[in-house]
Each structure stands twice: as structure tokens, then as C-alpha cells.
Amino acid sequence: MLETTIYNEKIEKVLTNINKVMIGKEEAATLSLVALLAQGHVLLEDVPGVGKTMLVRTLAKSLDCDFRRIQFTPDLLPSDVTGISIYNPKELNFEFRGGPILGNIILADEINRTSPKTQSSLLEGMEEKSVTVDGQTIPLKQPFFVMATQNPIEYEGTYPLPEAQLDRFILKLKMGYPAFGDELEMLDRTSRNHPIETIEAVISKEELISVQEEVKEVYIDKNVQHYIINLVGNTRTNPSIALGVSPRGSIALMRAAKAYAYVYGRDYVLPDDVKFLAPYVLAHRLILTPEAKYEGVTSEQVVESVVKHTHIPIRKEFN
């Protein structure tokens, strides 16, 4: 049995911090924390001004970790992300000067505005937890967490992430516009000082690493694993899907479900955890058929249909 109560209070404080700044975005706050605890990364896709960057900044301020921001532009080079070796004439050797990727919490702002070559320099670190500079492999700091943002409306001068790179993100989230009451409260809270200025760190780097290790120990029953495999398998046979979810997607869904259970104080995964997370974990990993795209079907709708038609394990099956 995991001692999940040890860090539950700190997790609640992180969520409270985010909800002070991000009004009415409790689900996005929870899912961002789920991705962090699952040692995954998040892609935030939405129109400008709905709080994508603010969500990342608030999460970073709540953690006693090294925060770095990378503003992606068309002229950004891979060395601007990873760092570069500079010749030192006094020492007669090359010295490595690390780039912003050598932090703990990385905000990759507008990742689709830079070239695929520069995108790949970040995505190598996300997958391998290391970067290669001048033939030398440099391990990244731990914990390492990337939240990337992109605007789905403007396509001019952008480089959409290919499916193989989208697959590196454990979750893809959308913020959406706030409700009337939430936006009104937002005006009240920001009329003088922005609430992010009052946010303080509530969990240390060492504690965060300990929580991530505890999340790995969350129990998942074989029947729930079968449910995950059946869900993913059904994406490979659905007539609206040209390319289904890979085994990496199965692993990502399991890891996210463990973290989701942990956030809610459980040391075991429920089928409902998997069911809830499936659209966020699986939708961006699909390639729809041209016919489905023409009919206006979205990946989220297809995943919801797959979930609806996949058998859910019942309590008797756990005995």
C-alpha cells in the first residue's frame, strides 16, 4: 500500500495555486499535473489569449524547480535550444554552454513556428532525456517536463508537428474560452495586481521526484491493462482511422491513469480513469481517413466512439 497521503496535501496546494490564476480551468490544471507526475509532456493547443502560457508559468512557480522559456521563431537554431560549445583561448579547449533545455520545467511557446530541425532538438530531449551536442551526449536535469503551446488557427509561417513527434506528448489539451462568470471573476482578480505575483513554491524538486517514483508503484489490475489494450486495438480497426495508436500510446495511457489515480489519493487504477483520459492521450496519435476529415469528424469524436463501443471491465472481473 502506497503512502499517498504524504504528498496529497502538497499536490492539493499545487492545484490551489493554479486555480487562483486559472479560473474555471480545474480540469486543465489537474491534467497538467497528471502529465508531470507521469513523467510525460503536454501539448497545449488553443487560440491566443486563453491562458496557455499562464498555466505553464503558474505550474512552474508552484514547483521549486528551474524554469526556462523558449520562444520559438522561424529563425531559431537547434543550438539556441540545446546549447553550444565555445572555444576558450585561455584554456585552449571548448567549453559547453547549455541552452534553455537544461532546465526542469520548460515552456516551449509556439513550437509550430520553428523549423522541424529545431523542433527535433527539443523532442530528442523529451524522448531520450538527453541531448547531443558536437557528438557528446548530455543528460538533462531531473525532473524534466515540457509544456508546448501552439495556435491552431494561424497556419502561415508554421511547421505543423508530424505524427511521430506528436506521439511524444503524453497529453494534448485545449483550454477553451472561459464562461461568463469565470471571465467576470478574472477581471476582478486582475484589476490591480495579477494573482500569479502571489504564487509561491509549495513542493521541492526532491519531493516531486519522490512523487513521480511513487506514481510508478500505483497498482493496475490485469483486467484494466486488457481494457487499455482493447481500446488501443480498436483504434487500429476503426473505419474512420487510417493509422491507429501505437504501443507507445498504450504505455502512455497506463502511465497517465496511474498518475490520475494518485492525484485523487488512490493507489490503484480504475477503468473509469482510463475511460476519462483516453481522448486526451489517444486523439492526437491518430490519423483519420480523408473521408472522415471531409465529413468533419474530429479525432476526439472518434476516440469517444471507440471508448463507447469497448467493453469496460466490471467489478466481478477483479475477483
Side-chain angles (χ1 to χ4, degrees), residues 123-144:
L123 293 163
E124 178 197 355
M126 291 168 57
E127 182 67 16
E128 309 296 335
K129 296 184 180 179
S130 63
V131 292
T132 303
V133 179
D134 296 334
Q136 181 182 1
T137 299
I138 302 163
L140 299 178
K141 296 179 181 178
Q142 295 303 318
F144 177 70

Side-chain angles (χ1 to χ4, degrees), residues 161-164 166-167 172 231-238 240-246 249 278-279 281-289 293 297-306:
L161 293 173
E163 285 71 19
L166 284 172
D167 208 26
K172 181 181 178 182
L231 273 176
V232 171
N234 288 342
T235 67
R236 300 167 189 166
T237 58
N238 189 288
S240 297
I241 301 174
L243 184 64
V245 177
S246 69
V281 178
L282 304 182
H284 63 285
R285 304 172 192 272
L286 304 175
I287 299 179
L288 300 182
T289 62
K293 291 179 181 178
V297 177
T298 65
S299 297
E300 289 79 8
Q301 290 172 334
V302 174
V303 172
E304 288 174 2
S305 175
V306 168

Side-chain angles (χ1 to χ4, degrees), residues 248-304:
R248 184 187 286 130
S250 303
I251 296 170
L253 185 52
M254 179 184 69
R255 287 166 51 201
K258 284 187 172 189
Y260 187 78
Y262 189 97
V263 167
Y264 283 96
R266 284 184 276 108
D267 62 350
Y268 56 91
V269 175
L270 295 173
D272 280 347
D273 299 335
V274 176
K275 181 179 178 181
F276 171 75
L277 291 167
Y280 301 103
V281 178
L282 304 182
H284 63 285
R285 304 172 192 272
L286 304 175
I287 299 179
L288 300 182
T289 62
E291 294 79 11
K293 291 179 181 178
Y294 179 76
E295 293 173 1
V297 177
T298 65
S299 297
E300 289 79 8
Q301 290 172 334
V302 174
V303 172
E304 288 174 2

